[in-house]
Each structure stands twice: as C-alpha cells, then as structure tokens.
Amino acid sequence: MAERMDGPAAAQAEDAFKVVYAEAFAEPPYKETADDVAAAFRRFQSQTRKASFRAALARTAAGEPVGMAYGYPLGADTGWWDELAEPVPDGMRREDGRRTFGLMELAVRGPWRGQGIARRLHEALLDGVEAERVLLNVHPESKATSAAYRAWGYRKVGEARPGQGAELYDVMLLALR
C-alpha cells in the first residue's frame, strides 16, 4: 500500500526514502555512490520544504520501505527545460507553478519489483494533482523503467543532462488532461 505524504511527513520519513533510493540507484545504469545519495538527500531536504511537495511511500506489513515517489509542481523559473540538449518550443516550456508536476524520483527496491508497486506509487502520488502534465527524466539504459513509463502514457520529448557532467537522460511527458 502506498501512503501519500506532504513535505513535513516525508521529511520525518527521510530514512525510509533513503533506503529505497540508495538501493535502487546503486544498480546500473545509475551506479550512485554514497556521495551521490548524500547529495540527493540534501536536495530532498530542500524539496520537502516546498508547500506543494508531495510523496508516496510503500512499505511491507512489517513497515519495511519497498518503494517511493516524490515531486512537486515546477515553478515559472524552473531550469528543467534549460537542461535539454535541443530546445523545445516556448509553448511547451512555459511554466507557471501549476502547469507541470515534476516527478523527481520513483523507485522500487529489487525484491519487490514486478508486483505493480511502482504503478500504485505513481497513482497515489498523482491522485488529486491539478497539473496539466507530468515531466520526468529517465536514464535511457533503464529499459524496464522507460517501458513502464511508456505503458502509462508518457512520451519522450527530448534529452537532457540533469546536472554538471551528467549523462544524457530521456525527458518524458505525460498529459493528464
């Protein structure tokens, strides 16, 4: 079951989010290190302070964290579109703080994959979101993840380098209305 949380609740559950993130993103193609995880959770602490932040956390009946998702609407000043390798039309990149929900992370630990947990986390996270669309980045070598997003209705709209020296990621968009 996926529990939906606001920023303060997610901040209280940071250790559970970190367990999922560290395990899921240590695997190829991400190969994140302890330093990468520490950097991600410095961002997480900042993100959870946004009034519009929302998260979903899946746990076993015994309380062990198995999956997580989180994000927030993109502000008018977002740099997300600036990271694209090829510019997109102004109409696509226009943001106002409500138009686009940025899905920052979605991950399920290995032993619990293939059980629909990612889909339920995605649904719980987006339930009640008033945005027109959802935007995310996914590593192109993460074939199963990319296939899941496509099956859920996402389409690739470009490629981006999310950070200094980062590899190219596929940028995917889901129309909600």
Side-chain angles (χ1 to χ4, degrees), residues 4 6 20 22 32 60 62 64 69 75-76 84 96-98 101 140 152 155 157 168:
R4 204 160 92 228
D6 62 8
V20 175
E32 293 209 2
T60 65
E64 184 176 0
L84 269 73
D96 60 9
R98 294 182 309 277
F101 185 84
W152 301 345
R155 65 185 173 90
V157 295
L168 275 177

Side-chain angles (χ1 to χ4, degrees), residues 83-100:
E83 296 173 342
L84 269 73
E86 299 288 329
V88 294
D90 287 344
M92 180 180 280
R93 63 179 288 136
R94 180 187 50 79
E95 298 298 347
D96 60 9
R98 294 182 309 277
R99 182 181 190 199
T100 305

